[in-house]
Amino acid sequence: MRIAVIDGQGGGIGKHIVEQLRKKIPDLNILALGTNALATGAMLRSGATEGASGESAICYNVERVDIIVGSVAIMMVYGLLGEITATMATAISASKAEKLLLPIQRGNVQLIGVQRIPLPHQIEALVEVVEERLKG
């Protein structure tokens, strides 16, 4: 099983996701995909198996993983303060990989019917779902 963690900006959310995945599933193949080198570097330092940065790397690799995780913003054009391009959002959305997305609500997008819970609890729930998929 290969899982892509996608993040941008400073990679803070992706870093926490990678840390928790690595802690709970030590042998998991984690690919850090950052919209920029700073985000990718943060995820690599947190324990990702390998990493790549930028639009081309994201578009190429989302077809080569089983699961994609990140914020719901990774599927929105101009998400992550404009770092998600239309090409990235299209590639992520069209990928056959299962998408496990955190409902982080920023800016002018509100997800109705979703409880606002602290990020650490959201990441914990995400890791539990990944564990279930691995048992599968």
Side-chain angles (χ1 to χ4, degrees), residues 39-52:
T40 303
M43 293 186 282
L44 283 167
R45 286 187 299 279
S46 296
T49 310
E50 56 188 335

Side-chain angles (χ1 to χ4, degrees), residues 7-134:
D7 199 7
Q9 299 177 301
I13 293 170
K15 171 185 175 238
H16 291 298
I17 292 171
V18 171
E19 284 173 350
Q20 294 307 308
L21 285 170
R22 185 60 68 214
K23 185 188 297 183
K24 294 276 190 171
I25 315 164
D27 58 341
L28 184 62
N29 186 347
I30 303 171
L31 173 61
L33 294 176
T35 60
N36 60 66
L38 187 63
T40 303
M43 293 186 282
L44 283 167
R45 286 187 299 279
S46 296
T49 310
E50 56 188 335
S53 304
E55 180 179 81
S56 181
I58 290 172
C59 293
Y60 176 79
N61 284 292
V62 293
E63 288 301 324
R64 289 159 179 77
V65 296
D66 302 297
I67 297 174
I68 296 169
V69 301
S71 159
V72 69
I74 66 173
M75 291 183 50
M76 296 178 191
V77 177
Y78 303 125
L80 303 179
L81 293 178
E83 291 190 15
I84 300 295
T85 67
T87 305
M88 288 177 186
T90 299
I92 294 165
S93 299
S95 170
K96 290 184 170 112
E98 181 175 15
K99 290 120 190 123
L100 304 176
L101 305 174
L102 299 175
I104 297 169
Q105 301 183 51
R106 292 190 180 143
N108 62 354
V109 175
Q110 296 298 310
L111 303 173
I112 306 305
V114 175
Q115 268 189 326
R116 287 184 176 255
I117 60 173
L119 181 61
H121 297 307
Q122 291 181 25
I123 293 173
E124 183 179 310
L126 179 135
V127 171
E128 288 173 7
V129 173
V130 171
E131 286 178 310
E132 289 172 17
R133 298 302 190 270
L134 288 171

